Amino acid sequence: SRPVTSLMPPEHVAVPLEARTKRSVLEQLVEVAGRTWKIWEPAAVLKAVQDREELCTTAFDNGVAIPHARQPLPDVMDDSVVAFGRTYSGIPCGAPNNSLTDLFFLVACRDTRTHLQVLARLGRMIQRSGFVEALRAAETDEAAYQVIVEAEQAVG
């Protein structure tokens, strides 16, 4: 299986993400994910992710959201991508307990298998003790990336 970090080069990390609304978070994450030119049609990815969010939020009650498309997107990208951004302050994204969201992992995959593996692995990483706190404490893109790499190694 492909590690999350194999789909997420350091350029796909934005700390901080300059966004104050859910919509602008999604727009900027797609832009960040497009930095390595893997996405041919950013607008199609954005629409797929927005459509999925309208069905049901991807926000958890610990301040993390994993926006993703419901279906694989083989026609609009060269390879599957994951991007991460942290906003300065929490944004209402419909988390179960109405808590705010400030940590965002965008997942856009070309095939179902990769999509499910990435979501499962991110889920395990997010449940790791100290991971969310370490992401919030990371002051730079590089520091946040390192936190993600170490968490992924730890979940195996």
Side-chain angles (χ1 to χ4, degrees), residues 81-98:
V81 294
V82 180
F84 171 75
R86 188 185 88 228
T87 52
Y88 273 124
S89 51
I91 290 173
C93 289
N97 58 355
N98 288 323

Side-chain angles (χ1 to χ4, degrees), residues 12 33-41 76-81:
H12 286 194
R35 286 176 183 168
T36 52
W37 307 103
K38 298 269 195 286
I39 298 177
W40 302 324
E41 290 180 44
V76 301
M77 54 179 58
D78 181 36
D79 196 7
S80 300
V81 294

Side-chain angles (χ1 to χ4, degrees), residues 1-149:
S1 78
R2 296 180 66 179
V4 170
T5 42
S6 74
L7 306 179
M8 182 187 203
E11 304 95 293
H12 286 194
V13 175
V15 174
L17 201 61
E18 303 272 356
R20 302 197 182 280
T21 64
K22 185 172 178 177
R23 186 186 173 86
S24 63
V25 165
L26 298 178
E27 286 169 353
Q28 290 192 30
L29 277 174
V30 170
E31 205 171 287
V32 169
R35 286 176 183 168
T36 52
W37 307 103
K38 298 269 195 286
I39 298 177
W40 302 324
E41 290 180 44
V45 174
L46 179 62
K47 183 176 185 331
V49 171
Q50 283 172 330
D51 288 350
R52 168 68 183 77
E53 285 294 325
E54 278 166 26
L55 275 181
C56 176
T57 181
T58 59
F60 300 97
D61 56 14
N62 61 353
V64 179
I66 307 181
H68 57 273
R70 205 173 47 156
Q71 303 290 341
L73 300 164
D75 303 333
V76 301
M77 54 179 58
D78 181 36
D79 196 7
S80 300
V81 294
V82 180
F84 171 75
R86 188 185 88 228
T87 52
Y88 273 124
S89 51
I91 290 173
C93 289
N97 58 355
N98 288 323
S99 56
L100 300 177
T101 305
D102 61 348
L103 304 171
F104 297 88
F105 288 92
L106 173 76
V107 176
C109 293
R110 288 197 52 153
D111 63 281
T112 303
R113 188 167 165 225
T114 303
H115 177 82
L116 295 174
Q117 284 173 348
V118 167
L119 292 181
R121 190 169 276 224
L122 277 174
R124 289 201 301 278
M125 289 160 69
I126 288 161
Q127 284 160 9
R128 259 185 74 72
S129 170
F131 176 62
V132 169
E133 294 75 12
L135 274 181
R136 286 206 176 97
E139 296 286 317
T140 62
D141 296 354
E142 295 77 17
Y145 187 73
Q146 208 46 51
V147 168
I148 294 164
V149 168

